[in-house]
Amino acid sequence: MNWYPWLNQAYRQLVEFHQQGRGHHALLLHANAGTGADVLIYGLSRWLMCQNKQGMKSCGECHSCHLMMAETHPDWHIMSPEKGKTSVGVEAVRQITEKLYSRSQQGGVKIVCLPLVECLTDAAANALLKTLEEPPEHTYFLLECRQPANLLATLRSRCFYYFLPVPEAETSFYWLQKQLPVISSVDAMTALKLSQGAPVAAEQLLQPEQWQIRRQFCQAVEQALAKRDALSLLSQLNHEDAPQHLHWLISLLLDAVKWQQQARSYCINQDQQTLIYQLSSMHTMAVLLQGVDDWTYCRHQLLSVVGVNRELLLTEQLLNWEKQFPSQF
């Protein structure tokens, strides 16, 4: 697993807590997607599991280290949704809990990693509370979350909260250029801004296939505006990646607001200035801001409403947006 240089400070701090006897048994790591939080949790797991620690580093030679590097350590448990599911249920928590109250197979610590706490069902979260409050000896929980405010207050209170910020823009930009030397600086900065400054997410977005998908989406928006036919975007939106595409659309609308306010240097989509100008020319400030609100609400429904009719929801919103198109501009 690749290590990212901006994780060094957080790693040192978390390891120091344990070295000083102040390490909490339950870590709640709050981080944006694409900051490398999963790598930090793995690194901390390696250190906790190591049988011959070398200061702040795991030795890499002991049996536990070999098992961790192969990701086959029997005392390292990962709770994630089963294939085809989006949530972790109460039964999965009960199964893990039973293992925790058994003797460690390698004679060391036991670790439970949960890559996204928000995927716990309410019943699963409640089932986890008792174990978090009174964990078996030498047991650690390493939990990652995106929106801690959405978690049960009782669950948050049983954990040590730690926020992992995105790295400085210069650090991220330099790292991206090393990973993808053929990418232009404009594309690199645009991808970083679209990824809320998270460099790993920006790198994934800049992969040729994904970056081409975004460009095709922007071209489709441009054509829809020219033809005054918002409904033509339905085919671009009606699929599993709709929330990401709506994120791109919302960012374009916000850029059009900035363009009208003579704040072009603050635009996110620096590679789409023609489209931003087009949007800013055809809509008033009020219409643009209303569009941001409407599309944000639409995206929220797609992400939070179970069984929502995606096609119907998107069709209604596209038709409402089309009503705001001027006859000419």
Side-chain angles (χ1 to χ4, degrees), residues 117-251:
V117 186
E118 289 91 336
C119 71
L120 288 173
T121 63
D122 289 343
N126 281 305
L128 188 62
L129 289 177
K130 179 65 176 176
T131 311
L132 281 176
E133 186 173 12
E134 298 178 6
E137 192 176 10
H138 306 307
T139 299
Y140 296 95
F141 294 86
L142 305 179
L143 315 177
E144 184 182 346
C145 72
R146 302 279 182 269
Q147 300 289 338
N150 295 338
L151 305 180
L152 291 175
T154 46
L155 189 149
R156 296 199 309 269
S157 67
R158 286 163 171 77
C159 300
F160 172 71
Y161 171 85
Y162 190 94
F163 177 64
L164 178 66
V166 296
E168 295 289 334
E170 282 188 16
T171 300
S172 298
F173 183 69
Y174 176 73
W175 180 82
L176 268 181
Q177 286 190 314
K178 287 187 66 177
Q179 304 304 309
L180 304 167
V182 299
I183 296 297
S184 71
S185 58
V186 171
D187 284 355
M189 288 307 299
T190 297
L192 273 173
K193 291 179 179 180
L194 284 170
S195 305
Q196 289 80 50
V200 181
E203 182 194 22
Q204 293 169 352
L205 178 57
L206 285 167
Q207 295 305 310
E209 183 178 354
Q210 187 67 10
W211 197 240
Q212 182 61 22
I213 289 173
R214 174 183 166 271
R215 283 183 170 162
Q216 289 173 349
F217 175 73
C218 291
Q219 290 170 3
V221 173
E222 194 169 350
Q223 292 169 5
L225 296 177
K227 297 176 180 177
R228 283 72 159 177
D229 181 16
L231 198 58
S232 65
L233 290 173
L234 184 60
S235 62
Q236 289 279 335
L237 295 173
N238 189 25
H239 47 69
E240 293 298 323
D241 291 332
Q244 183 181 41
H245 284 58
L246 291 184
H247 169 63
W248 296 340
L249 178 58
I250 292 165
S251 73

Side-chain angles (χ1 to χ4, degrees), residues 186 190 193-194 214 217-219 221-223 225 247-285 288 321 329:
V186 171
T190 297
K193 291 179 179 180
L194 284 170
R214 174 183 166 271
F217 175 73
C218 291
Q219 290 170 3
V221 173
E222 194 169 350
Q223 292 169 5
L225 296 177
H247 169 63
W248 296 340
L249 178 58
I250 292 165
S251 73
L252 288 166
L253 293 170
L254 286 170
D255 281 350
V257 172
K258 298 169 190 173
W259 193 282
Q260 288 188 0
Q261 294 296 306
Q262 306 300 316
R264 300 175 187 178
S265 61
Y266 292 95
C267 287
I268 293 173
N269 300 275
Q270 291 290 337
D271 64 332
Q272 296 293 329
Q273 296 199 19
T274 300
L275 176 53
I276 296 170
Y277 171 75
Q278 192 176 1
L279 279 165
S280 68
S281 299
M282 70 179 293
H283 289 317
T284 64
M285 177 77 68
L288 288 169
W321 188 33
F329 63 95

Side-chain angles (χ1 to χ4, degrees), residues 42 46 63-73 76:
Y42 173 75
R46 280 273 307 269
H63 187 51
S64 284
C65 280
H66 286 157
L67 289 171
M68 285 298 294
M69 287 187 281
E71 299 187 5
T72 57
H73 201 298
W76 187 52

Side-chain angles (χ1 to χ4, degrees), residues 54-68:
Q54 306 295 308
M56 287 195 168
K57 296 182 179 181
S58 52
C59 71
E61 299 294 335
C62 68
H63 187 51
S64 284
C65 280
H66 286 157
L67 289 171
M68 285 298 294

